[in-house]
Amino acid sequence: MNDHGTLNDHESLGSVRLRALEEGQRLGLPREWLRRLPGDEPTPGAGPLQRRGMDRFLAWKRQEMLARHGRMNELSPELVAEALEEVATSDGPRRARDASERIMFALAWPKRTPGMRVHLLAATEDLRNCLRESPSMPLFTDLPGYWRATQDAVLRLDDTVRLRDDCPWPSLQALLRDAEHAARHMPEPAA
């Protein structure tokens, strides 16, 4: 290891594994789990491995082990809050964004095919499920942002398609209403 915390050319992945094992033992991770860490197999990616303080993966793994063993008083409140924040801000909004963009794409794409109808119906059901599970989701949606992403996706496939500059849907309910209407007028898949 050089002074900058990166691997030297002659340092092997085996020594990185040993350091990971030492750090895991220091953090109190179970030995059975640590023994399952990969050996000297090449890792994906290129470039030097850098050491920046505590190994984040091992720190999170320790938090998981502590929680699973009921040792809640040993959990780091900052790490637990960070994990909960990640779930709270990512899962629902990400699902709503993905489903909304898929619906917008199906509505904006000029071809009306049986496959596009299936795509539209699946995305519509995904958005409905998301809204059923989290009725507050409309508060966190950015329809104009989703529309810009949809415009980009459509124009990457066919730059001759003409789309409105502003988002055609003022709300998720309007988007769902237009999706239901469009699905009724698209060809059904052959039986």
Side-chain angles (χ1 to χ4, degrees):
M1 175 93 47
N2 63 26
D3 293 337
H4 302 290
T6 58
L7 291 175
N8 295 320
D9 289 337
H10 63 278
E11 189 170 22
S12 72
L13 290 174
S15 62
V16 171
R17 182 178 189 275
L18 286 175
R19 283 198 320 256
L21 287 171
E22 289 170 4
E23 173 118 354
Q25 286 174 350
R26 185 183 69 73
L27 290 170
L29 293 170
R31 290 182 193 272
E32 311 82 58
W33 185 84
L34 290 169
R35 270 188 240 145
R36 291 193 312 251
L37 288 175
D40 282 339
E41 302 88 30
T43 54
L49 297 175
Q50 296 193 3
R51 185 171 173 90
R52 293 186 175 101
M54 184 185 299
D55 186 306
R56 287 185 48 83
F57 173 74
L58 293 177
W60 280 105
K61 196 64 182 170
R62 178 173 190 264
Q63 296 298 303
E64 176 197 345
M65 296 287 186
L66 289 171
R68 289 190 189 280
H69 289 97
R71 296 166 51 187
M72 303 304 212
N73 60 335
E74 297 177 49
L75 290 174
S76 164
E78 295 82 19
L79 289 178
V80 172
E82 187 178 323
L84 293 173
E85 179 184 29
E86 174 64 25
V87 172
T89 60
S90 294
D91 186 46
R94 185 181 307 137
R95 287 178 52 217
R97 181 190 68 229
D98 177 59
S100 298
E101 287 179 6
R102 288 171 31 222
I103 292 169
M104 288 178 180
F105 182 90
L107 294 175
W109 191 247
K111 292 185 181 177
R112 299 290 183 237
T113 65
M116 190 57 74
R117 181 178 192 270
V118 170
H119 175 84
L120 178 61
L121 290 173
T124 302
E125 189 59 28
D126 287 347
L127 183 57
R128 275 199 200 100
N129 287 337
C130 184
L131 293 173
R132 246 188 313 275
E133 292 170 13
S134 301
S136 64
M137 204 48 53
L139 300 173
F140 303 100
T141 57
D142 174 21
L143 290 175
Y146 304 164
W147 177 242
R148 285 188 299 276
T150 300
Q151 288 172 312
D152 182 52
V154 168
L155 294 175
R156 272 186 280 140
L157 293 174
D158 185 351
D159 63 358
T160 63
V161 175
R162 295 293 161 235
L163 300 171
R164 289 175 54 162
D165 288 335
D166 60 326
C167 181
W169 302 280
S171 68
L172 288 176
Q173 296 310 326
L175 180 63
L176 286 170
R177 192 173 40 256
D178 284 359
E180 290 167 357
H181 177 73
R184 283 193 296 271
H185 298 351
M186 286 183 172
E188 294 201 26

